[in-house]
Amino acid sequence: MDIELTYARGLLRSIGDVPVSYRRREWLDSTPRALGPWPLVYQRFGTTLRSVGDVEITYRKWSARPRTVGQWSCECSRFGARLLRIGPYELRHDGGGNRVRGIGPLEVFYDRLGTRPIRVRLHDGSRTLPDDLLLVLFLTLFWQRQEWEAARRSDD
């Protein structure tokens, strides 16, 4: 099954049938505020995501790398350069390690420039994307985008 990721004005708007919502003045704040029915809660005065619905996220000390997502633990590479696993879902990266190419049974496809994920393919034969896999997909794409934006800012 293929799941399309749709964008408008450079912002992710939906993952399949699940909308990603923003504040009314999104040009001032491009931080997503809801994933479908789940509100996204951030650290006060920051963009560190603290919870998606009732699923709490904790981070490693002095790092933007997640330690837990709900009851799942997260695994990072040595020195924390890459996120390798969220709970039961292994993340597979391309050769350079910059893009996530797979998440558990999902395969991630990018646009021609390789800068925007546009589609995911679910390989387990399901007809719908389970909520836990939707959550992991969203978090992976969200954190990847944050990393890319931080790297772009540091290059300036």
Side-chain angles (χ1 to χ4, degrees), residues 25 51 58 91 102 114:
R25 295 184 180 184
S51 67
T58 63
L91 278 62

Side-chain angles (χ1 to χ4, degrees), residues 5 11 26 35 37-38 40 44 49 76 89 95 103 105 121 128 132 137-138 143:
L5 305 176
L11 301 175
E26 62 202 27
L35 173 63
W38 302 324
L40 305 176
R44 190 174 185 177
L49 187 57
C76 294
Y89 300 108
I103 304 166
R121 180 171 291 148
T128 60
D132 60 338
L137 172 62
F138 173 78
W143 287 323

Side-chain angles (χ1 to χ4, degrees), residues 15-31:
I15 299 172
D17 295 334
V18 180
V20 178
S21 306
Y22 299 82
R23 287 192 177 156
R24 289 187 75 185
R25 295 184 180 184
E26 62 202 27
W27 62 88
L28 294 174
D29 180 9
S30 61
T31 306

